[in-house]
Amino acid sequence: LITMLSTSVRVTSRVASKMAPMAIAARGMATEKQLFQQINSTKNIMKITSSMKMVSAAKLKGDENRLYAARPYNKWAETITGESTPMEDEVEFSNIPDNALIVPLTSDKGLCGGINSFISRGVRTMCAKLDADGKKSSLVVVGDKGRSQMRRMVGEKIVSAATEVQTPYSFDLAAAITAEVLAAGNDYSAIVILHNKFVNSATYIQEYKVLSPMESTGDSEALVSYEFEPDIKNEVLEDLSEYLLCSQLYHAMMEAAASEQSARMAAMENATKNAGEMVDALTLQYNRARQARITTELIEIISGASAIEG
């Protein structure tokens, strides 16, 4: 009889231990094995995001050096084009003329926070206000992420796009994008460059700059304080306008590249922190489930022993 009871207790214990996880899963709760797998998966993701943060920090240092080297060479252009205008909520874009070509600079890769979304929303707001004022506008988008977002917002205004841009940026690349922008048409009254401006490793803002064509005659004649040989001023101003556009694009790309890496570094830092908090929460839940299982098994053993003694 005792042998039969012992066998019955062992069978009951095995069945209960097998049925307990099924009952927990049936109530919508994760089993120990599922929790263990989730913990390992989250730890692997945390390792990846931590590595990406370190890579972005190293790339940010290089982009900062290139940006600081490019800024002094851009000072000469501000005497001709003026300073950039910050993208603020109350900005009216009154300095943008009719029939303007807007060139927003975005990235080809994601995982960098809302850096591309800010530019896309800025373009949408700019186009909406220009349309409300009866002004026409077109877009040449740089970056795959911006193209995919703006295609849904203002897809009818996109005339061209430059994607799969090689990094780190160089002046040769800026010259190629300048040729792409000029190929979109020369009948635009102004070119507007919209980009992120790097402030520090934790801050970046959006701004735009309006580049108007240089006129050789009339009230808006450019470089009136300089003397030109006869019949060459138009050619000189045309070449200077192209170089000015290329220089401004290069500087804007340096600002955007540094902003992208700083945003990606911050995003990966936040992702690593969130993954660590998730691992702690899952570990606590796993320990509770394990303790509940052990307690249940002890109760079954004690109950079986009591039944035998009784």
Coordinates of all heavy atoms in Angstrom, one line a residue, residues 101 138-141 155-161 184 188:
L101 N 12.8 76.4 -55.0 CA 13.2 75.0 -55.0 C 13.7 74.7 -53.6 O 14.7 75.3 -53.1 CB 14.2 74.7 -56.0 CG 14.7 73.3 -56.1 CD1 13.6 72.3 -56.4 CD2 15.9 73.2 -57.0
S138 N 8.8 73.5 -55.1 CA 9.2 72.2 -55.5 C 10.3 71.6 -54.6 O 10.9 72.4 -53.8 CB 9.7 72.1 -57.0 OG 8.7 72.6 -57.9
L139 N 10.5 70.3 -54.6 CA 11.4 69.7 -53.7 C 12.4 68.8 -54.4 O 12.1 68.1 -55.4 CB 10.7 68.8 -52.7 CG 9.7 69.4 -51.7 CD1 9.0 68.4 -50.9 CD2 10.4 70.4 -50.8
V140 N 13.7 68.9 -54.0 CA 14.7 67.9 -54.3 C 15.2 67.4 -53.0 O 15.9 68.1 -52.2 CB 15.9 68.6 -55.1 CG1 17.0 67.6 -55.3 CG2 15.4 69.1 -56.5
V141 N 14.9 66.1 -52.7 CA 15.1 65.6 -51.4 C 16.4 64.8 -51.4 O 16.7 64.0 -52.3 CB 14.0 64.6 -51.0 CG1 14.2 64.1 -49.5 CG2 12.6 65.3 -51.1
G155 N 4.1 64.5 -51.8 CA 4.7 63.7 -52.8 C 4.6 64.4 -54.2 O 5.5 64.2 -55.1
E156 N 3.6 65.2 -54.4 CA 3.4 65.8 -55.7 C 4.4 66.9 -56.0 O 4.5 67.4 -57.1 CB 1.9 66.4 -55.8 CG 1.7 67.6 -54.9 CD 1.4 67.3 -53.5 OE1 1.4 66.1 -53.1 OE2 1.3 68.2 -52.7
K157 N 5.1 67.4 -55.0 CA 6.1 68.5 -55.1 C 7.5 68.0 -55.4 O 8.4 68.8 -55.7 CB 6.0 69.4 -53.9 CG 4.7 70.2 -53.7 CD 4.8 71.1 -52.5 CE 3.6 71.9 -52.4 NZ 3.4 72.9 -53.5
I158 N 7.7 66.7 -55.2 CA 9.1 66.1 -55.3 C 9.4 66.0 -56.8 O 8.7 65.3 -57.5 CB 9.2 64.8 -54.6 CG1 9.0 65.0 -53.1 CG2 10.6 64.2 -54.8 CD1 9.0 63.7 -52.3
V159 N 10.5 66.6 -57.3 CA 10.9 66.5 -58.7 C 12.1 65.6 -58.8 O 12.4 65.1 -59.9 CB 11.2 67.9 -59.2 CG1 9.9 68.7 -59.3 CG2 12.3 68.6 -58.4
S160 N 12.9 65.4 -57.7 CA 14.1 64.6 -57.8 C 14.5 64.2 -56.4 O 14.0 64.9 -55.4 CB 15.2 65.3 -58.5 OG 16.4 64.5 -58.6
A161 N 15.3 63.2 -56.2 CA 15.8 62.8 -54.9 C 17.2 62.2 -55.1 O 17.5 61.5 -56.1 CB 14.9 61.8 -54.3
A184 N 17.5 69.9 -61.9 CA 16.1 70.0 -61.7 C 15.4 71.2 -62.4 O 14.2 71.2 -62.5 CB 15.7 70.0 -60.2
Y188 N 14.0 78.5 -61.3 CA 13.5 78.8 -59.9 C 14.0 80.2 -59.5 O 15.2 80.5 -59.7 CB 13.9 77.7 -59.0 CG 13.3 76.4 -59.3 CD1 14.0 75.4 -59.9 CD2 12.0 76.1 -58.9 CE1 13.5 74.1 -60.2 CE2 11.4 74.9 -59.2 CZ 12.1 73.9 -59.8 OH 11.6 72.7 -60.1

